[in-house]
Amino acid sequence: MARVLGTRLLRLVATLFAVTFLSFLMTALLPGDPAVAVLGVEGVQNEELLLEVREELGLNDPIPVRYVNWLGRAVTGDLGESYINRGVPVAQTIQERIPVTAQLAVMAIIIALVLAIPLGVLGAYKESRWPDTASSAFAQIALSVPNFITGIFLIWLFSVTLRWLPASNWNRLGNGVVDNLKTSIMPATALAMTQMAIFSRLVRSDMIATLQENFVLAAKAKGLTDRFILLRHALRPSSLSLMTILGINFGALLGGTVVIETLFAIPGLGFRLINAISQRDIMVIQGITVFIAVVYVVINTVVDLLYAAVDPRIRRS
Amino acid sequence: MASNDLLTVQHLSTTFETPAGSVKAVDDVSLSLKAGSTMGLVGESGSGKTVLSRSIMRLITAGGATTTGSVLYRGEELLTKSSKEMQALWGAEMAMVFQDPMTSLNPVVRIGRQMIEHVQHHLGLSKADAVDAAVSLLRSAQIPEAEARLQAYPHELSGGMRQRVCIAIALACGPNMLFADEPTTALDVTVQHQILNLLAEQQRERNMTMILVTHDLGVVAGRTDEIAVMYAGRIVEKAPTDTLFASMRHPYTEALLRAIPKIDDPKQTKLSAIIGRPPDLINPPSGCAFSPRCPYVQPKCREEAPTLTPGESAGHEFACWNPVGSPEAEQAWQQNLEGGLLQTLAAAGKATATEEGATPVPVAANEAAQ
Ligand SMILES: Nc1ncnc2c1ncn2[C@@H]1O[C@H](COP(=O)(O)OP(=O)(O)OP(=O)(O)O)[C@@H](O)[C@H]1O
Ligand code: SF4
Ligand SMILES: [Mg+2]
């Protein structure tokens, strides 16, 4: 196990290098001159000032040099400063906003799992019969409706019509769990529906395959109840694809909640990222992109390690 | 139907509806077992042994399968029981050891839990008691370091060990009826004997009733009270074990006996292996299902299917128009030999039998070489 962890860690570091370099490269290659963005309209006229700012930002160095400089500071936690809001460290922005987005992503995944596992298991158990057809139809609908439509529907139902929940005014978790839940449950649910659809399809198809296995028949021949067989024998071996997707989608959610964050006026990371992109605030874009990429890689490494927990046969290799 | 029969199966048929047509995997099978007795169920691959055992136990799960007939267990009809009622019997009253120990244990669940879960469920034992019972079961199944094994996952055990575990699991709740479906086919020869002896020993100790499924007549020879030979979903010969080996009457049984590997004379075995393949169960041959492969085949065989009829000795039944040893068989054999029928030549050792049965080669040259 220690050796497995060791090689995994090495691989993780290598991947992190690649990922940070690629994200850095791509943001550096974005069209438009960051110096222009910094100076605003009047700066464009002043050639001297432009050159000065370019020098100051290190934009005249070749990209690999800029990357190494940036990386050197990044590993100490210094991701630079915003070009637009001068003096505001990018790390601070991320630190402020990641709890919001991470909370949304975690809640969305949990809600999705809580709905998807029973639906997927039921679908597989009653394959091709009405409960399966019904849950498939539900998943299909959930999959084809975009997040923000679900969000708008939830706002219409719970904020406008029933007046149970506020449609905006995000409450930080620090302000009390209940108050926070009131503002987070709708956006999280809106995000969860697509995930739920994907997860339940995966659980269903993996479970259908597992239920064909000999050991399921052997468990039945022991007189165990169907429920016990489904949940205690078949579910675990049917959850490997689910775990893979879970890792990938969690990473995607961290950067992909922007529409929902906008809809519910949530001060999250995605919201800030879109802002930065429209302002050509390269440092912020770079910082957030690299951060999300790193989280992505780390999560997927954790998922890889979790495989072994789910399937003991993997532990050997 | 004697009253001391534990199991009475009558006119049992199981059909699978498939896109290609309906597969009659078990066709009008009747048999009965006295409490404490052992029956060997023998036949080639695809003859319906597994489907028959599972049909009796109501463990056919495929969609599109229908089972008709009657299965009386202790006088109670099983085919009409609800799945809840069957769940109470499964594992507790009747148990099954499956063909392949590699796949019949859950790979992600520790051996320990797989051994105690049904014991707790059926017998209501506490976990500690169930674990104790499991340990002593593993010991009686000759598994070394029983306590440590409980913590192991199936892939950490050898095939033979796994099958011992499967047997221990099947025996854990003290069932009265055990189906052992080719328990040793997937194992090495030396391990096979150990496993079969373990089963026989446990069967005797517990006075269990057992159906031992195999494709190898040699396996059931000294280990069963009775043997039923299956071909294409039907029982074609049934007799007490001694009777069967002393005077088998069905040509298929005879062919199976010739197919038992003879370690001292492997050449002989190969020469007399059964020609051809088991029939297509969707479009079975007309008349006797064995007729395309039978060395004694006569025109009548292709027209009319023989039914199981009692022979001279008690409990001996067979379904054949020209039973082995009869004057009809003698005549048919001579006729077919002269007519150059390939399966007859092969059975007489005058042609090379191929498992595919495509084109057996007459072996004048081979004979000369011997
Ligand atoms: N679910 C199913 N659908 C269709 N046909 C099936 C199904 N299960 C079994 N069969 C068919 O029933 C026939 C009997 O199969 P069965 O598994 O009982 O044979 P067997 O005697 O146990 O053979 P083996 O020695 O290979 O285990 C085979 O022709 C098989 O193809
Ligand atoms: S002799 Fe005829 S009836 Fe008997 S097994 Fe051969 S083909 Fe069938
Ligand atoms: Mg079989």
Side-chain angles (χ1 to χ4, degrees):
Chain A
M1 198 69 198
R3 236 193 57 219
V4 174
L5 262 173
T7 48
R8 273 287 146 70
L9 251 127
L10 268 179
R11 216 186 296 169
L12 177 65
V13 170
T15 317
L16 285 178
F17 267 113
V19 159
T20 50
F21 179 70
L22 286 176
S23 332
F24 187 92
L25 183 70
M26 280 183 279
T27 34
L29 292 177
L30 278 180
D33 186 346
V36 175
V38 170
L39 290 172
V41 188
E42 70 270 31
V44 181
Q45 267 79 37
N46 192 333
E47 196 66 29
E48 220 163 284
L49 199 57
L50 266 177
L51 285 174
E52 202 177 296
V53 170
R54 286 206 188 107
E55 190 58 44
E56 185 199 330
L57 298 178
L59 294 174
N60 294 332
D61 298 331
I63 286 178
V65 175
R66 281 164 61 191
Y67 171 67
V68 171
N69 289 340
W70 177 87
L71 189 67
R73 274 179 269 124
V75 291
T76 68
D78 176 8
L79 294 172
E81 284 176 8
S82 164
Y83 291 162
I84 309 295
N85 310 322
R86 303 301 299 263
V88 179
V90 175
Q92 186 192 322
T93 306
I94 294 177
Q95 209 180 353
E96 275 167 18
R97 290 175 176 256
I98 191 60
V100 176
T101 299
Q103 187 203 340
L104 276 182
V106 169
M107 279 179 71
I109 296 277
I110 291 175
I111 294 169
L113 283 177
V114 165
L115 296 173
I117 290 176
L119 270 180
V121 170
L122 182 74
Y125 179 51
K126 301 278 182 193
E127 190 192 349
S128 305
R129 279 175 283 166
W130 74 262
D132 181 28
T133 318
S135 78
S136 297
F138 180 53
Q140 196 58 53
I141 292 168
L143 198 58
S144 46
V145 176
N147 284 336
F148 69 93
I149 298 286
T150 316
I152 290 170
F153 171 76
L154 291 174
I155 291 176
W156 170 79
L157 184 64
F158 293 107
S159 305
V160 179
T161 311
L162 298 170
R163 295 175 180 282
W164 287 355
L165 299 167
S168 57
N169 293 325
W170 176 263
N171 250 318
R172 293 195 154 255
L173 204 48
N175 300 349
V177 176
V178 175
D179 284 341
N180 169 268
L181 273 181
K182 277 185 188 163
T183 53
S184 60
I185 190 79
M186 281 200 295
T189 307
L191 287 170
M193 295 320 279
T194 320
Q195 306 298 327
M196 179 280 296
I198 298 169
F199 295 169
S200 71
R201 299 285 77 194
L202 276 180
V203 170
R204 176 185 175 275
S205 60
D206 279 14
M207 190 79 158
I208 285 175
T210 307
L211 292 181
Q212 304 295 322
E213 298 271 358
N214 249 334
F215 66 79
V216 170
L217 184 68
K220 190 179 164 88
K222 288 157 83 176
L224 303 173
T225 62
D226 290 354
R227 197 191 155 85
F228 189 92
I229 294 172
L230 286 171
L231 299 180
R232 301 297 303 276
H233 277 277
L235 186 56
R236 207 141 74 102
S238 312
S239 53
L240 291 178
S241 346
L242 176 68
M243 280 173 48
T244 313
I245 287 295
L246 207 91
I248 294 172
N249 285 15
F250 184 76
L253 274 179
L254 287 182
T257 58
V258 60
V259 176
I260 288 297
E261 286 181 8
T262 314
L263 181 65
F264 288 90
I266 298 167
L269 205 58
F271 201 29
R272 183 71 189 89
L273 180 60
I274 292 298
N275 244 325
I277 290 172
S278 63
Q279 295 171 330
R280 291 262 170 283
D281 196 345
I282 296 283
M283 271 302 168
V284 175
I285 301 174
Q286 247 159 22
I288 294 179
T289 313
V290 168
F291 176 78
I292 289 174
V294 167
V295 172
Y296 222 94
V297 173
V298 171
I299 286 174
N300 281 299
T301 306
V302 171
V303 166
D304 271 1
L305 292 174
L306 279 179
Y307 281 157
V310 169
D311 191 337
R313 286 168 298 181
I314 295 170
R315 272 172 227 169
R316 266 194 309 186
S317 47
Chain B
M1 182 199 342
S3 56
N4 61 345
D5 286 346
L6 185 78
L7 179 75
T8 308
V9 174
Q10 283 182 314
H11 308 297
L12 191 70
S13 298
T14 293
T15 309
F16 297 100
E17 295 305 330
T18 70
S22 45
V23 178
K24 208 152 204 190
V26 172
D27 187 6
D28 194 19
V29 166
S30 300
L31 52 86
S32 60
L33 265 97
K34 284 194 190 45
S37 71
T38 304
M39 176 181 272
L41 191 58
V42 190
E44 281 170 294
S45 183
S47 56
K49 309 177 297 289
T50 296
V51 176
L52 174 60
S53 319
R54 291 186 186 171
S55 298
I56 295 173
M57 257 186 99
R58 289 271 312 274
L59 279 174
I60 299 283
T61 49
T66 38
T67 300
T68 58
S70 157
V71 176
L72 293 178
Y73 182 79
R74 294 187 187 283
E76 283 182 48
E77 178 59 58
L78 295 190
L79 294 192
T80 54
K81 280 195 187 296
S82 69
S83 47
K84 245 217 162 64
E85 289 170 315
M86 285 313 299
Q87 269 168 15
L89 289 180
W90 286 329
E93 187 59 42
M94 40 175 56
M96 184 172 276
V97 177
F98 288 85
Q99 198 156 348
D100 184 2
M102 303 301 166
T103 60
S104 52
L105 291 169
N106 190 334
V108 306
V109 177
R110 289 181 204 278
I111 300 291
R113 207 189 95 204
Q114 302 197 54
M115 286 201 65
I116 66 170
E117 56 189 4
H118 59 311
V119 179
Q120 289 181 284
H121 176 71
H122 286 301
L123 308 182
L125 293 190
S126 71
K127 187 169 179 193
D129 289 347
V131 168
D132 286 347
V135 168
S136 62
L137 254 174
L138 286 180
R139 290 220 179 94
S140 67
Q142 292 138 31
I143 294 180
E145 299 164 61
E147 283 96 345
R149 298 291 186 210
L150 294 182
Q151 297 305 314
Y153 286 98
H155 71 261
E156 294 165 332
L157 305 185
S158 68
M161 279 301 153
R162 272 188 251 191
Q163 196 59 299
R164 285 170 201 273
V165 168
C166 290
I167 291 170
I169 288 174
L171 298 178
C173 297
N176 285 301
M177 171 92 226
L178 183 72
F179 292 84
D181 186 358
E182 304 204 41
T184 61
T185 305
L187 306 173
D188 308 339
V189 187
T190 44
V191 184
Q192 279 186 16
H193 282 278
Q194 297 166 0
I195 298 286
L196 289 167
N197 292 342
L198 170 68
L199 270 174
E201 186 186 298
Q202 293 290 325
Q203 184 270 333
R204 264 195 314 274
E205 257 172 43
R206 294 158 183 262
N207 196 31
M208 259 184 330
T209 311
M210 181 163 87
I211 289 188
L212 178 59
V213 174
T214 173
H215 59 250
D216 182 358
L217 258 181
V219 161
V220 289
R223 296 186 172 93
T224 55
D225 302 314
E226 227 187 326
I227 291 175
V229 179
M230 269 192 104
Y231 188 76
R234 287 172 162 264
I235 290 183
V236 294
E237 182 161 18
K238 194 168 53 168
T241 305
D242 298 343
T243 311
L244 191 91
F245 280 99
S247 60
M248 58 185 51
R249 305 303 305 277
H250 199 281
Y252 179 61
T253 316
E254 190 188 46
L256 277 181
L257 189 68
R258 267 191 263 113
I260 296 179
K262 294 188 185 76
I263 295 159
D264 45 331
D265 192 3
K267 210 189 264 167
Q268 180 63 33
T269 310
K270 199 174 161 88
L271 274 180
S272 52
I274 312 171
I275 281 192
R277 259 187 286 223
D280 176 6
L281 294 177
I282 296 175
N283 299 303
S286 62
C288 174
F290 191 51
S291 58
R293 304 166 72 188
C294 178
Y296 303 91
V297 61
Q298 291 295 292
K300 183 181 185 183
C301 305
R302 299 198 181 92
E303 281 152 24
E304 201 180 333
T307 51
L308 265 187
T309 38
E312 306 85 74
S313 48
H316 194 173
E317 293 177 81
F318 44 86
C320 177
W321 297 126
N322 309 310
V324 178
S326 67
E328 294 90 339
E330 193 64 31
Q331 206 181 351
W333 177 274
Q334 280 309 327
Q335 226 172 324
N336 290 343
L337 210 54
E338 283 155 23
L341 195 66
L342 286 172
Q343 60 256 37
T344 319
L345 288 173
K350 292 189 163 64
T352 308
T354 65
E355 273 173 25
E356 295 301 306
T359 44
V361 190
V363 278
N366 199 347
E367 253 176 4
Q370 280 175 7

